[in-house]
């Protein structure tokens, strides 16, 4: 693991360098190169009211696929309205703590040198693996006011995890179809037991970035808890959120969100409908964990014995079974649970598949990609990646065979095919040219 070198400098009175790249205010800047490390960059939004005559709140965001401009564009209007700086690394991504922490070091140092930042109002945020990194940074530095965790909570590294001794605010944003929905709910309950101020905002989404209105509520809550008098805005936003939710959001989640209307603490339901729903949710939670463990263990068995199709077929059949249950059930709790279980198998098949691909364990990677393809009911995923894997293995015939199957799926992105260097193996072949023509005509 990378040792933290620059975080300790974060809130020192840094000598502000005269930097060659001026940051425009009121617009999203897609790439700001870090002066101390040109290999690192970040997207930024500086509110149009910014001036160096005062210090400003800042939110450091971490995106799991290093798409810095995505969340900055998504939340820039909130930064403009509420008057805070928004930045997101273009280097930090899932898969390596060293990469994530190095990116955080670079961005923290560069922004401290360029901008006037209020050291008491520094926040971190992120989506999925980026959310886990954002929380880790708060634990490591002990200098973050609050964390907005989107679609994931605690990191897997024990020493980076939040504990009852943590001294920062936490806002969890998650969809009720998200594979990490239950994780967020359990984490919020743990924070309540520890006496740590937290808020959990639930939306009607799967595993994705939170909608801007939810991020806005989280920031309003953070700023209100930090002594900024905007409680009226927070209460109005929460009421609008609650009024816009459908019956797919449980009464327990709604009552919990109502508990934030005074901006302090949270509440669980003591009403009869609330008690009944809590019992249902406890039962669903146990069932969901059981299904996830079965899928995880079956995937591991299928990978270890990839020539034996028993576990592979069980997973494929389970996916189709859960899809049918989603369509048939009238129970909203089961409907959402099966969505989350499917979201889980999607995530672990993709994550495991690409890890195996990087390790050149091609046959096992193909199995994971096939599961992903079945989840999406999209054979193009399978044929595209199987063709790439065949090319990586220099299996000419299999590569051509998979590309032929790809062309039969109405795949029409011929430019992507032409730009994929791995297919240089077959590019000069007449068969490839026939496939290319077919894809162009799709």
């Amino acid at each position: 693991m990378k040792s933290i070198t620059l975080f300790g400098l974060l809130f020192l009175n840094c000598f502000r360098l005269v930097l060659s790249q001026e940051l425009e205010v009121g617009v999203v800047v897609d790439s700001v190169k870090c002066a101390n490390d040109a290999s690192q960059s970040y997207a930024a939004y500086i509110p149009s009211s910014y001036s160096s005559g005062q210090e400003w709140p800042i939110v450091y965001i971490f995106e799991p696929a290093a798409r810095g401009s995505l969340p900055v564009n998504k939340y820039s209007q909130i930064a403009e309205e509420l008057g805070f700086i928004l930045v997101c690394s273009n280097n930090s991504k899932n898969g390596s703590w060293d990469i994530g922490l190095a990116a955080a070091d670079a961005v923290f140092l560069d922004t401290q040198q360029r901008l006037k930042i209020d050291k008491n109002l520094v926040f971190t945020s992120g989506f999925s693996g980026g959310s886990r990194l954002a929380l880790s940074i708060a634990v490591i530095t002990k200098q973050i006011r609050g964390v907005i965790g989107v679609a994931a909570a605690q990191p897997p590294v024990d020493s980076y995890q939040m504990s009852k001794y943590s001294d920062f605010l936490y806002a969890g944003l998650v969809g009720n179809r998200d594979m990490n929905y239950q994780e967020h709910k359990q984490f919020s309950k743990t924070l309540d037991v520890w006496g740590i101020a937290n808020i959990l905002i639930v939306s009607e989404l799967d595993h994705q970035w939170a909608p801007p209105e939810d991020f806005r509520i989280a920031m309003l809550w953070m700023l209100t808890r930090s002594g900024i008098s905007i409680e009226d805005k927070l209460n109005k936003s929460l009421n609008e959120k609650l009024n816009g939710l459908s019956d797919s959001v449980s009464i327990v989640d709604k009552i919990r969100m109502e508990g934030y209307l005074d901006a302090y603490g949270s509440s669980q339901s003591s009403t009869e409908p609330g008690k009944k729903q809590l019992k249902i949710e406890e039962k669903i939670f146990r069932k969901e964990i059981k299904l996830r463990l079965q899928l995880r263990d079956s995937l591991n068995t299928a990978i270890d014995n990839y020539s034996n199709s028993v576990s592979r077929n069980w997973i494929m059949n389970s996916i189709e079974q859960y899809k049918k249950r989603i369509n048939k059930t009238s129970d909203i709790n089961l409907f959402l649970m099966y969505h989350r279980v499917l979201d889980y198998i999607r995530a672990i098949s993709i994550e495991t598949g690409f890890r195996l691909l990087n390790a050149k364990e091609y046959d096992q990677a193909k199995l994971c990609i096939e599961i992903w393809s079945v989840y999406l009911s999209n054979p193009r995923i399978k044929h595209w990646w199987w063709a790439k894997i065949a090319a990586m293995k220099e299996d000419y015939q299999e590569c051509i065979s998979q590309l032929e199957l790809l062309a039969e799926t109405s795949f029409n992105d011929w430019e992507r095919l032409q730009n994929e260097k791995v297919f240089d193996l077959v590019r000069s072949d007449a068969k490839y040219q026939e496939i290319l023509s077919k894809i162009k005509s799709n």
Side-chain angles (χ1 to χ4, degrees), residues 182 284-294 337 341:
Q182 296 286 12
I284 288 288
F285 174 69
R286 290 193 296 272
K287 183 178 178 68
E288 189 171 335
I289 293 299
K290 181 180 177 181
L291 293 176
R292 284 171 61 132
L293 289 173
Q294 287 174 344
M337 183 199 73
V341 170

Side-chain angles (χ1 to χ4, degrees), residues 10-250:
L10 180 55
F11 301 122
L12 297 178
N13 292 320
C14 297
F15 171 71
R16 285 179 173 74
L17 304 176
V18 178
L19 301 168
S20 58
Q21 185 177 359
E22 291 291 327
L23 293 191
E24 225 180 318
V25 301
V27 297
V28 173
V29 181
D30 290 331
S31 183
V32 181
K33 286 188 183 289
C34 294
N36 294 283
D37 183 351
S39 69
Q40 299 277 353
S41 71
Y42 56 93
Y45 184 84
I46 316 296
S48 56
S49 56
Y50 175 84
S51 75
S52 58
Q54 69 179 75
E55 293 179 331
W56 293 77
I58 189 167
V59 181
Y60 292 97
I61 300 183
F62 300 93
E63 216 282 331
R67 302 167 296 184
S69 61
L70 190 158
V72 174
N73 274 298
K74 195 174 188 71
Y75 303 133
S76 61
Q77 289 307 304
I78 302 163
E80 177 68 21
E81 176 204 353
L82 300 182
F84 61 86
I85 298 162
L86 197 59
V87 300
C88 183
S89 168
N90 288 321
N91 298 82
S92 176
K93 59 184 178 181
N94 281 359
S96 168
W97 286 95
D98 287 356
I99 289 173
L101 294 173
D105 272 348
V107 174
F108 276 43
L109 184 62
D110 195 79
T111 50
Q112 287 293 315
Q113 291 173 334
R114 289 178 189 271
L115 302 163
K116 289 293 289 278
I117 293 170
D118 187 336
K119 66 181 182 181
N120 297 312
L121 293 174
V122 175
F123 306 91
T124 58
S125 182
F127 165 63
S128 195
S131 174
R132 301 189 196 282
L133 177 62
L135 191 148
S136 300
I137 289 166
V139 170
I140 294 165
T141 65
K142 298 181 173 61
Q143 298 181 88
I144 304 300
R145 176 58 181 147
V147 176
I148 301 174
V150 182
Q154 289 274 52
V157 183
D158 289 349
S159 58
Y160 293 175
Q161 291 182 355
M162 203 168 177
S163 73
K164 63 183 178 181
Y165 303 109
S166 298
D167 188 25
F168 53 87
L169 305 170
Y170 187 84
L173 309 182
V174 70
N176 60 0
R177 299 186 190 192
D178 191 315
M179 62 182 177
N180 292 327
Y181 167 77
Q182 296 286 12
E183 177 192 356
H184 265 290
K185 289 193 66 153
Q186 298 302 313
F187 187 51
S188 186
K189 290 176 185 176
T190 298
L191 295 180
D192 286 345
V193 170
W194 289 343
I196 294 174
N198 73 97
I199 185 170
L200 178 63
I201 303 298
V202 177
S203 59
E204 299 170 66
L205 296 173
D206 52 19
H207 192 65
Q208 58 183 280
W209 275 104
E213 57 268 26
D214 288 8
F215 195 87
R216 182 174 179 271
I217 290 170
M219 277 307 299
L220 285 168
W221 181 79
M222 292 273 179
L223 294 170
T224 301
R225 293 293 306 232
S226 301
I228 297 172
S229 299
I230 48 174
E231 193 171 333
D232 288 347
K233 276 189 176 184
L234 173 61
N235 289 340
K236 182 181 177 185
S237 297
L238 272 167
N239 274 315
E240 289 173 352
K241 166 79 178 175
L242 287 161
N243 290 334
L245 291 173
S246 76
D247 290 341
S248 80
V249 176
S250 83

Side-chain angles (χ1 to χ4, degrees), residues 179-381:
M179 62 182 177
N180 292 327
Y181 167 77
Q182 296 286 12
E183 177 192 356
H184 265 290
K185 289 193 66 153
Q186 298 302 313
F187 187 51
S188 186
K189 290 176 185 176
T190 298
L191 295 180
D192 286 345
V193 170
W194 289 343
I196 294 174
N198 73 97
I199 185 170
L200 178 63
I201 303 298
V202 177
S203 59
E204 299 170 66
L205 296 173
D206 52 19
H207 192 65
Q208 58 183 280
W209 275 104
E213 57 268 26
D214 288 8
F215 195 87
R216 182 174 179 271
I217 290 170
M219 277 307 299
L220 285 168
W221 181 79
M222 292 273 179
L223 294 170
T224 301
R225 293 293 306 232
S226 301
I228 297 172
S229 299
I230 48 174
E231 193 171 333
D232 288 347
K233 276 189 176 184
L234 173 61
N235 289 340
K236 182 181 177 185
S237 297
L238 272 167
N239 274 315
E240 289 173 352
K241 166 79 178 175
L242 287 161
N243 290 334
L245 291 173
S246 76
D247 290 341
S248 80
V249 176
S250 83
I251 188 171
V252 173
D253 290 339
K254 287 177 180 176
I255 289 171
R256 187 174 183 83
M257 284 187 270
E258 285 172 359
Y260 306 128
L261 284 170
D262 62 359
Y264 297 96
S266 61
S267 64
Q268 290 291 346
S269 174
S270 58
T271 65
E272 286 307 313
K275 288 178 181 178
K276 183 179 178 182
Q277 181 62 23
L278 276 172
K279 288 181 180 177
I280 293 170
E281 289 188 6
E282 286 166 7
K283 185 177 178 182
I284 288 288
F285 174 69
R286 290 193 296 272
K287 183 178 178 68
E288 189 171 335
I289 293 299
K290 181 180 177 181
L291 293 176
R292 284 171 61 132
L293 289 173
Q294 287 174 344
L295 286 164
R296 184 201 66 188
D297 292 346
S298 294
L299 180 61
N300 289 335
T301 301
I303 289 167
D304 291 340
N305 304 280
Y306 61 88
S307 58
N308 186 330
S309 62
V310 174
S311 293
R312 168 196 169 279
N313 290 343
W314 185 87
I315 294 170
M316 304 295 188
N317 290 335
S318 295
I319 290 172
E320 295 303 335
Q321 209 176 71
Y322 298 155
K323 286 179 179 179
K324 287 177 184 175
R325 289 177 186 176
I326 283 171
N327 291 328
K328 287 183 178 180
T329 186
S330 59
D331 186 326
I332 189 63
N333 297 289
L334 288 173
F335 174 85
L336 294 170
M337 183 199 73
Y338 285 122
H339 268 291
R340 293 193 294 267
V341 170
L342 285 172
D343 194 33
Y344 173 74
I345 191 60
R346 172 201 61 80
I348 62 169
S349 62
I350 293 171
E351 182 181 326
T352 307
F354 285 111
R355 175 176 57 78
L356 292 166
L357 195 60
N358 290 333
K360 298 184 179 180
E361 296 182 44
Y362 295 127
D363 291 328
Q364 296 93 325
K366 283 172 64 178
L367 183 148
C368 293
I369 289 164
E370 186 177 17
I371 293 169
W372 177 24
S373 179
V374 169
Y375 163 80
L376 291 173
S377 302
N378 183 357
R380 281 176 288 185
I381 295 284

